[in-house]
Amino acid sequence: MYRAFSALFLTAALSGCATSWVVDSNVKSFATPGTTVPPGATYRFERLPSQQADTARQEGLEAMAAAALDKVGLRRDDARPQYTAQINARVTAALSPWADPWLYGPGPWGYGYGGYGGYYSHRWYGGGWYGGPMFMPQPSNPWYAREVSLVLREADGGNRVVYETRARNDGPYSSSAAILPVMFEAALQGFPNPPPGERRVNIELTPASKK
């Protein structure tokens, strides 16, 4: 029965990927009461010391976030910013939930026998997985958990936070080059007046955008 169910799921998933694919993100956003962000407002990116240590990686993430910020009407201007944007992204991988516990559970070889020794982190850029082909759920493949965040602050005065948002996604697809930009877009849905509480944001990707 396990094999039959896995085969049925794989067939359905492959047929779905031939046309489109939906990235579903759990999003939670906060806007500071009494503040407004005018359309066309300018911003620049602000980096933490740890982010300054890897310029290439951070520039790539900023390009992803900039595309999402542009869609909500903000404009990057490093010389005359009205706001500063601090962004972050995290990608981790764990054993697939499709894994057979008899093969991949705790044992004499340790948890994750078969190639994945528990929960571990990947580099965002330069790692072997980044930009690689996406795959369907298989017992021996990892399950990816992703999170992006953005904090918008006033550039002058007390550096007050005016907007904070976070998006989470998990699944078997390894192509973070396609997923992370969509997650930044999902995180900014409803800007600058987001609905209260956590919400699910679904954004469809076409085969062309997944390459």
Side-chain angles (χ1 to χ4, degrees):
M1 182 177 292
Y2 175 83
R3 292 180 179 177
F5 178 78
S6 297
L8 179 63
F9 178 88
L10 182 59
T11 301
L14 285 172
S15 62
C17 282
T19 55
S20 63
W21 168 44
V22 174
V23 176
D24 53 339
S25 301
N26 292 322
V27 178
K28 199 168 186 178
S29 308
F30 303 89
T32 301
T35 61
T36 58
V37 180
T42 58
Y43 73 94
R44 65 172 173 81
F45 286 110
E46 184 178 77
R47 297 180 183 178
L48 297 172
S50 59
Q51 296 171 332
Q52 296 173 13
D54 195 338
T55 302
R57 180 182 69 184
Q58 196 62 22
E59 286 179 349
L61 288 175
E62 288 172 359
M64 297 177 184
L69 288 164
D70 182 70
K71 288 184 177 181
V72 297
L74 297 182
R75 182 170 56 86
R76 183 172 180 177
D77 187 338
D78 294 343
R80 293 180 297 276
Q82 297 170 260
Y83 300 93
T84 62
Q86 182 181 315
I87 64 167
N88 202 359
R90 182 171 61 91
V91 180
T92 54
L95 189 68
S96 169
W98 298 90
D100 189 332
W102 288 99
L103 295 177
Y104 299 97
W109 300 275
Y111 186 84
Y113 171 67
Y116 300 99
Y119 208 72
Y120 57 94
S121 297
H122 282 274
R123 290 175 56 84
W124 292 309
Y125 295 87
W129 62 271
Y130 187 80
M134 290 181 289
F135 52 86
M136 303 313 302
Q138 297 292 323
S140 61
N141 284 334
W143 193 261
Y144 294 91
R146 297 175 175 86
E147 181 177 286
V148 301
S149 63
L150 184 146
V151 177
L152 198 67
R153 295 182 172 89
E154 294 177 342
D156 55 4
N159 202 31
R160 184 175 59 153
V161 174
V162 297
Y163 200 83
E164 178 186 0
T165 185
R166 188 178 306 271
R168 295 180 293 106
N169 166 273
D170 66 272
Y173 303 105
S174 63
S175 184
S176 290
I179 298 172
L180 291 178
V182 174
M183 291 180 64
F184 277 114
E185 183 179 345
L188 285 166
Q189 189 199 60
F191 178 88
N193 300 302
E198 189 172 58
R199 61 198 185 276
R200 177 66 62 88
V201 178
N202 297 331
I203 299 178
E204 184 176 304
L205 291 180
T206 61
S209 62
K210 289 184 279 184
K211 294 179 179 180

